[in-house]
Amino acid sequence: MLLMLIIMLLAFWLMSRFARKQQQRMVDEQNRRTEEALVPGTWVRTRAGFYGTVVEIDGDVVTLATPLGDESLWNKSAIVGAEEPPFASAEDEDAVAEATDAVDPANQDAALGEDAGGAADESPEESADTQPQA
C-alpha cells in the first residue's frame, strides 16, 4: 500500500514538473516575440487593449504613439505583442465607397418599388377599400 502511494506521488510530481517546464517555454517564446516586435514604427497591443506604434524604447519603458500622434509611456511587460489595430484603414474605406458608387440609382429605385409588392401603384382609395373596417 505504501509503495503504491509513493508511486502515485512520484507520478504527480513528474507530471507537474513537465507542465511547469512547458509553461516556462511558452512564456519564454512569448517574451522573445515581444522583444522582436519592439522596433520603432511597429504596431503593438498592450494587456489593457491599447493599440499604438512604438516610438522609442528606454530600458523597461516603451513610448507608444496613437494614430493622432499622442504619446504615452508603457512598461515593457504590459505589451502583449505585435498586432495591427482592428480599425479600418483608408484603403478599406475607399473600397467600400467604390462598391456603393457602383450601384445604379435607377435600378435601386425600381428595386424599392418592387419590394413594396405593388402597394405603391395603388391609389389611396383602393388601399382604404381593402383594409378591414372596425
Side-chain angles (χ1 to χ4, degrees), residues 15-72:
M15 285 190 292
S16 67
R17 182 173 176 226
F18 175 73
R20 270 185 273 133
K21 280 187 175 184
Q22 187 176 10
Q23 185 178 14
Q24 185 61 40
R25 279 194 299 258
M26 289 173 53
V27 167
D28 291 342
E29 178 67 19
Q30 184 178 7
N31 289 340
R32 184 188 63 77
R33 287 183 190 165
T34 302
E35 286 292 326
E36 288 176 358
L38 291 179
V39 178
T42 305
W43 279 98
V44 294
R45 182 176 62 90
T46 66
R47 294 189 196 284
F50 176 79
Y51 289 90
T53 55
V54 177
V55 175
E56 141 180 59
I57 304 153
D58 186 21
D60 284 342
V61 178
V62 179
T63 305
L64 299 180
T66 66
L68 299 175
D70 299 329
E71 294 183 356
S72 59

